[in-house]
Amino acid sequence: LAKKMKLPCEEEAFLAACMAGAGRKARGLLKKLPGGVEALEQEDLKLIAHAAAAGNAGAVALMADLGFDLETKSDWGGSALHQAAWHGHESVVDILLKRGARTESTNQWVGDALHTAIHGATHGDHSHGAAVVKRIAERVVPAGVTEHHVAAAREGGNAEVTAVLEAARDTGNPAYLAALQQADRASSP
């Protein structure tokens, strides 16, 4: 007996188009969804954070443009910005910051995006830690970089990240600018 294949419902097709970064297709399918993005299940809304964790910049940009909530909590209570920051995805961090992701949002361990980036730079398996920390620190400087952030970088043993954060406490400090330039050079191919 031949079985009929069940075609994915429009919601599943919409989510697949989002993950593929297929803007035209996703927009067309979104028009057919009653209630739009706001009507999606909580699990489906986490897709933007999953895309951020995977470094899927096209999908993250598309979902942000379509109205996915950038602050939706995903694994370990992290938003899309937390996910991208921990995994060292510079381009995704840039997209999220430009679209208004909140650096002060916290994950389940009460770590803000900067603290998550510091932890990822120390414990993640990537080489973009200092650059990601720099990008987020620029958004929270000067009031948001605290001794707690600096101490976390020191404990992790990442001298480059520690230097960026120590200097970030005073944005007018020439050492801060030098540390940012050094981080840029280190992250350039």
Side-chain angles (χ1 to χ4, degrees):
L1 266 240
K3 292 184 179 182
K4 275 190 166 180
M5 282 186 57
K6 182 182 175 193
L7 296 175
C9 71
E10 288 176 345
E11 184 176 295
E12 289 170 340
F14 167 70
L15 295 171
C18 286
M19 280 303 283
R24 183 183 297 182
K25 184 170 186 166
R27 284 179 179 84
L29 290 166
L30 181 59
K31 290 177 185 175
K32 298 176 184 178
L33 291 181
V37 170
E38 297 80 21
L40 293 173
E41 298 288 325
Q42 186 64 27
E43 282 301 309
D44 295 333
L45 294 172
K46 292 179 181 181
L47 196 60
I48 191 167
H50 295 307
N56 189 339
V60 170
L62 175 60
M63 286 186 265
D65 291 345
L66 294 177
F68 278 71
D69 182 0
L70 302 181
E71 304 308 318
T72 298
K73 304 290 186 179
S74 184
D75 300 338
W76 43 269
S79 67
L81 182 58
H82 286 92
Q83 298 287 342
W86 198 92
H87 290 283
H89 299 304
E90 296 174 71
S91 61
V92 176
V93 167
D94 288 341
I95 288 166
L96 291 165
L97 290 173
K98 287 177 185 168
R99 285 174 169 78
R102 295 177 41 228
T103 59
E104 70 276 8
S105 293
T106 58
N107 59 30
Q108 71 187 27
W109 295 286
V110 197
D112 61 14
L114 182 56
H115 200 264
T116 301
I118 295 164
H119 193 262
T122 304
H123 302 288
D125 188 23
H126 58 79
S127 60
H128 307 288
V132 170
V133 167
K134 179 191 109 176
R135 282 170 168 74
I136 295 172
E138 289 172 338
R139 293 294 179 119
V140 298
V141 167
V145 176
T146 66
E147 190 55 40
H148 183 69
H149 291 119
V150 176
R154 267 193 217 115
E155 282 177 23
N158 191 318
E160 186 179 9
V161 171
T162 302
V164 168
L165 291 169
E166 286 175 337
R169 287 179 292 198
D170 178 10
T171 59
N173 183 341
Y176 172 67
L177 299 175
L180 291 180
Q181 289 172 349
Q182 182 178 359
D184 276 341
R185 284 192 297 273
S187 68
S188 296

